[in-house]
């Protein structure tokens, strides 16, 4: 029988800066664990590198291994090298298959502004200082997975179509996740839909209201997606937890990401019903800087913190990683993507290696 403090992690380094950053994130993961948790790390090809070696973005063996571990840590995947492949063979198809294969229906995308980076946002500092939003996106249903779908010829014209559908059980389970998380935060949930024109999102709104009856202590509001996008850039701090469907969540989470100043700072978690899931940075593979010691490792490091918090049930370790990152930023360390336009004397530009080194130093000093 596995010891309570022993955990298995499947590491999928990915492509570009995903693969470059991953060893640094593992350094932080192991330093944070110390003597408290025993980690058993496994590795597999995933994304573009898997296409190159195995002909597919995710092998059946990789998915089977992912289904047997406590958590999966994923690096960014994809790049121009594979852009011309058919949709079903692109690296990103591996991510969709992994999420579906693990039944990771709840995607958690925090938009958190670290105080030292408030001026890095394109919005006014006062709008984003202290920002702490959590977007809960339904991840395995909706238009991205709906059938029928395709492109066919109708009346001598090409016609493309997708199916946007949810059943009430899919809506119920992700909504419950949002309410549970709101209880641990500021107690507010905003459900985003387009119920004025889409029947499927009218069902979404109805089911959210029904689930809310079990969470009367949480404040619930509703907002159309176009208004939600506007409000995110107008008054983002009005939000606590946002819950929405797959497509709307995809768009809104990227809008919220830019409030924080850089995609290089943002982690994500995708959870199933047993809180086993996958963790990945929001940023892409940035092939133009890959291998040059320029990439920001903090998004993947913060994804490690989320892994400790949600899948390994070690919130104290998660807190220690997040606090170390905050202190490093407070001390003025910056990778290129988060450098201010007019840096003061206390700002120090560093690469991937040194940024990781100072995070570990802060961990060990605490």
């Amino acid at each position: 029988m596995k010891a309570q403090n022993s955990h298995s992690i499947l590491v999928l380094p990915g492509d570009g800066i995903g693969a470059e950053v991953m060893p640094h994130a593992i350094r932080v993961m192991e330093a944070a664990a110390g003597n408290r948790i025993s980690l058993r790390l496994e590795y597999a090809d995933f994304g573009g590198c898997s296409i190159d070696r195995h002909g597919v973005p995710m092998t059946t063996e990789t998915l089977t291994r992912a289904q047997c571990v406590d958590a999966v840590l994923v690096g960014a995947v994809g790049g121009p090298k594979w852009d011309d492949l058919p949709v079903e063979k692109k690296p990103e198809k591996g991510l969709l298959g992994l999420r579906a294969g693990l039944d990771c229906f709840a995607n958690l995308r925090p938009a958190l502004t670290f105080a030292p980076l408030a001026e890095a946002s394109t919005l006014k500092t006062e709008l984003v200082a202290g920002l702490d939003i959590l977007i809960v996106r339904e991840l395995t249903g909706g238009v991205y997975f709906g059938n029928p779908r395709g492109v066919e010829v109708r009346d001598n014209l090409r016609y493309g179509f997708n199916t946007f559908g949810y059943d009430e059980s899919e809506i119920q389970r992700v909504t419950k996740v949002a309410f549970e998380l709101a209880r641990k935060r500021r107690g507010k949930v905003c459900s985003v839909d387009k119920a004025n024109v889409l029947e499927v999102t009218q069902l979404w709104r109805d089911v959210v209201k029904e689930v809310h009856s079990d969470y009367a202590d949480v404040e619930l509001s509703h907002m159309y997606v176009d208004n939600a996008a506007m409000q995110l850039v107008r008054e983002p701090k009005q939000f606590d937890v946002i819950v929405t469907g797959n497509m709307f969540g995809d768009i809104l989470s990227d809008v919220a990401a830019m409030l924080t100043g850089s995609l290089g700072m943002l982690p994500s978690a995708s959870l199933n019903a047993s809180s086993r899931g996958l963790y990945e940075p929001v940023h892409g593979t940035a092939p133009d800087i890959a291998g040059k010691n320029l990439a920001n490792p903090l998004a993947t490091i913060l994804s490690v913190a989320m892994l400790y918090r949600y899948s390994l049930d070690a919130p104290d370790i998660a807190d220690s990683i997040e606090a170390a990152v905050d202190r490093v930023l407070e001390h003025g360390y910056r990778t290129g993507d988060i450098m201010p336009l007019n840096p003061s004397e206390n700002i120090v530009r560093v690469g991937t290696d040194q940024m990781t080194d100072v995070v570990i130093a802060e961990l060990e000093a605490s």
Side-chain angles (χ1 to χ4, degrees):
M1 184 175 179
K2 182 175 66 177
Q4 188 173 4
N5 65 343
S6 176
H7 298 280
S8 56
I9 312 294
L10 178 62
V11 180
L12 306 176
D15 309 309
I17 64 169
E20 181 183 5
V21 164
M22 189 61 74
H24 299 286
I26 296 302
R27 289 169 56 202
V28 173
M29 176 186 285
E30 293 176 335
N35 297 323
R36 292 175 287 180
I37 287 181
S38 174
L39 300 173
R40 293 179 287 110
L41 303 180
E42 307 173 20
Y43 291 81
D45 296 326
F46 188 72
C49 66
S50 180
I51 292 172
D52 290 346
R53 294 169 186 162
H54 311 289
V56 291
M58 179 180 64
T59 65
T60 301
E61 178 188 1
T62 297
L63 178 57
T64 299
R65 292 170 67 186
Q67 291 168 333
C68 296
V69 296
D70 295 312
V72 183
L73 183 63
V74 186
V77 298
K81 179 179 180 181
W82 306 281
D83 280 351
D84 293 332
L85 291 174
V87 171
E88 66 274 9
K89 294 184 178 180
K90 288 181 181 292
E92 294 78 7
K93 198 69 173 180
L95 271 176
L96 293 177
L98 183 61
R99 292 166 179 168
L102 296 177
D103 197 23
C104 291
F105 64 87
N107 178 236
L108 278 52
R109 284 279 295 269
L112 174 68
T113 301
F114 287 88
L117 297 183
E119 294 183 357
S121 174
T122 53
L123 272 67
K124 293 179 180 179
T125 301
E126 59 266 27
L127 289 179
V128 297
L131 181 71
D132 183 4
I133 300 172
L134 180 61
I135 296 179
V136 180
R137 166 190 171 192
E138 199 290 321
L139 200 60
T140 58
V143 70
Y144 291 175
F145 290 89
N147 284 301
R149 62 194 298 150
V151 176
E152 60 186 38
V153 176
R154 298 183 182 180
D155 298 326
N156 295 317
L157 294 172
R158 286 177 295 169
Y159 180 85
F161 55 98
N162 291 86
T163 300
F164 186 2
Y166 277 112
D167 68 44
E168 59 184 329
S169 68
E170 293 174 303
I171 303 168
Q172 288 167 346
R173 64 181 186 173
V174 73
T175 302
K176 288 178 181 178
V177 169
F179 283 128
E180 292 289 346
L181 290 170
R183 277 179 167 171
K184 300 175 182 178
R185 292 169 51 89
R186 300 190 301 278
K188 295 169 58 179
V189 169
C190 178
S191 175
V192 173
D193 57 47
K194 193 63 175 170
N196 55 335
V197 293
L198 295 173
E199 287 85 353
V200 59
T201 63
Q202 180 60 61
L203 174 65
W204 179 283
R205 182 173 291 208
D206 293 342
V207 174
V208 170
K209 289 179 180 178
E210 293 166 5
V211 174
H212 182 234
S213 64
D214 293 328
Y215 297 89
D217 54 317
V218 177
E219 177 185 334
L220 173 63
S221 61
H222 302 272
M223 194 173 288
Y224 295 144
V225 63
D226 42 357
N227 186 31
M230 181 182 70
Q231 294 297 329
L232 276 171
V233 296
R234 176 182 175 272
E235 190 184 347
K237 286 189 282 188
Q238 68 181 282
F239 296 106
D240 178 18
V241 175
I242 295 174
V243 63
T244 190
N246 205 341
M247 180 171 63
F248 297 160
D250 190 3
I251 297 166
L252 293 179
S253 57
D254 279 353
V255 173
M258 289 314 300
L259 303 177
T260 68
S262 173
L263 289 174
M265 291 297 302
L266 295 176
S268 74
S270 302
L271 307 179
N272 59 25
S274 59
S275 294
R276 298 168 71 180
L278 60 97
Y279 300 82
E280 56 183 312
V282 170
H283 62 71
T285 56
D288 56 320
I289 65 168
K292 298 180 181 179
N293 192 33
L294 297 174
N296 187 345
L298 294 181
T300 308
I301 288 171
L302 291 168
S303 295
V304 168
M306 294 186 80
L307 185 155
Y308 273 116
R309 185 178 306 281
Y310 295 110
S311 284
L312 304 194
D313 193 25
D316 55 331
I317 297 180
D319 289 343
S320 69
I321 294 173
E322 292 166 355
V325 169
D326 194 28
R327 290 193 298 272
V328 162
L329 296 173
E330 188 66 41
H331 295 332
Y333 293 101
R334 303 285 189 274
T335 47
D337 61 306
I338 53 175
M339 280 289 291
L341 292 177
N342 300 299
S344 59
E345 292 182 359
N346 69 321
I347 299 298
V348 181
R349 183 165 183 157
V350 297
T352 314
D353 297 346
Q354 189 177 354
M355 181 62 89
T356 308
D357 290 342
V358 293
V359 171
I360 292 173
E362 289 292 339
L363 271 172
E364 293 175 343
S366 62

